[in-house]
Amino acid sequence: MLPVAQLDLRDIPLLRPPGQADLLQVLWCPYDHEPHYKPSTALFWRSATAVVEHARPIP
């Protein structure tokens, strides 16, 4: 899965996230998948603070 977009609730206030989420991440796989043989996408609602807490700089 490849990251395509990351939407912040501060930038798009009309988004209605579940729970305490304030960040929508859109992932995309460029390969065909059965049964429809088309690329797949996945949406993940997350808390921006949780994403920052788990991010680690590359040495």
Side-chain angles (χ1 to χ4, degrees):
M1 300 296 280
L2 301 171
V4 174
Q6 182 167 289
L7 307 173
D8 194 305
L9 189 60
R10 293 175 296 180
D11 299 327
I12 307 173
L14 295 178
L15 288 176
R16 295 294 174 238
Q20 299 297 316
D22 59 355
L23 191 67
L24 176 61
Q25 294 177 326
V26 181
L27 304 178
W28 172 71
C29 181
Y31 302 106
D32 291 336
H33 295 276
E34 294 181 21
H36 304 292
Y37 295 99
K38 63 181 181 179
S40 65
T41 56
L43 302 176
F44 295 96
W45 283 103
R46 303 187 192 280
S47 167
T49 55
V51 172
V52 172
E53 289 172 3
H54 291 95
R56 294 185 184 142
I58 299 173

